Amino acid sequence: MEHLSPEVLQARIFEVVNPYNRGLILVRDAQEKRLLAKLNLTAGKKAKDSVAYASAYRYLQIGLGLLDDTCWENDYPLTLELYLETAETAYICGYFAQMSRLNIVILKKAKTLLEKIRAHELQIKGDRAENKLLRS
């Protein structure tokens, strides 16, 4: 994987990440997990951009599952982006309970007001879609 240029990796992300995802049980090293989480984030975003929302959600969920208990402290940018992308994709897929659970974590862990606003906006959209505007 190190021998692939960023452009080639982006173009062939699904070919690269799928075999690793099939062998997830074998990935034990924290650095490998972080790299695979990043690859799943890239695959999820690409799938979402291609309107393959169910696939995007699956990649993003796998990425979240690879994060450890120290992810917010040790890799804040990756963790925040994975949580936000997964919450947004959950909203698009109509998985409002999952979106809300992710938003709760984001609101507890986000460092800036702008990051929190993104989670609040998503929650309002989800509540509107479920006709729960009074809660928002």
Side-chain angles (χ1 to χ4, degrees), residues 10 14 22 34 37 39-40 42 53 55 57 68 71 79 92 101 103 106 122 131 134:
Q10 177 67 28
F14 303 120
R22 284 191 291 275
R34 189 166 291 124
L39 290 172
N40 274 283
T42 301
Y53 299 124
S55 293
Y57 186 73
D68 62 21
C71 61
T79 304
I92 292 168
R101 282 194 293 274
N103 276 339
I106 294 166
L122 195 52
N131 289 322
L134 292 178

Side-chain angles (χ1 to χ4, degrees), residues 48 53-54 56-57 60-61 83-103 118-131 135:
K48 190 172 98 178
Y53 299 124
Y57 186 73
L60 294 166
Q61 281 290 107
Y83 269 83
L84 286 168
E85 287 290 335
T86 308
E88 185 176 13
T89 305
Y91 162 73
I92 292 168
C93 290
Y95 306 148
F96 301 117
Q98 293 91 325
M99 178 203 69
S100 292
R101 282 194 293 274
L102 292 164
N103 276 339
R118 192 166 162 202
H120 280 299
E121 287 175 335
L122 195 52
Q123 191 64 51
I124 290 168
K125 287 179 184 178
D127 289 347
R128 189 172 357 154
E130 288 190 289
N131 289 322
R135 189 178 85 182

Side-chain angles (χ1 to χ4, degrees), residues 31-88:
Q31 280 186 303
E32 287 178 0
K33 286 183 177 185
R34 189 166 291 124
L35 174 60
L36 190 51
K38 198 176 287 190
L39 290 172
N40 274 283
L41 172 62
T42 301
K45 288 167 72 173
K46 185 171 182 176
K48 190 172 98 178
D49 290 345
S50 300
V51 195
Y53 299 124
S55 293
Y57 186 73
R58 188 177 66 250
Y59 285 116
L60 294 166
Q61 281 290 107
I62 291 170
L64 282 179
L66 289 162
L67 299 177
D68 62 21
D69 295 338
T70 64
C71 61
W72 286 99
E73 294 82 25
N74 292 337
D75 202 341
Y76 180 84
L78 171 64
T79 304
L80 178 66
E81 191 172 5
L82 257 171
Y83 269 83
L84 286 168
E85 287 290 335
T86 308
E88 185 176 13

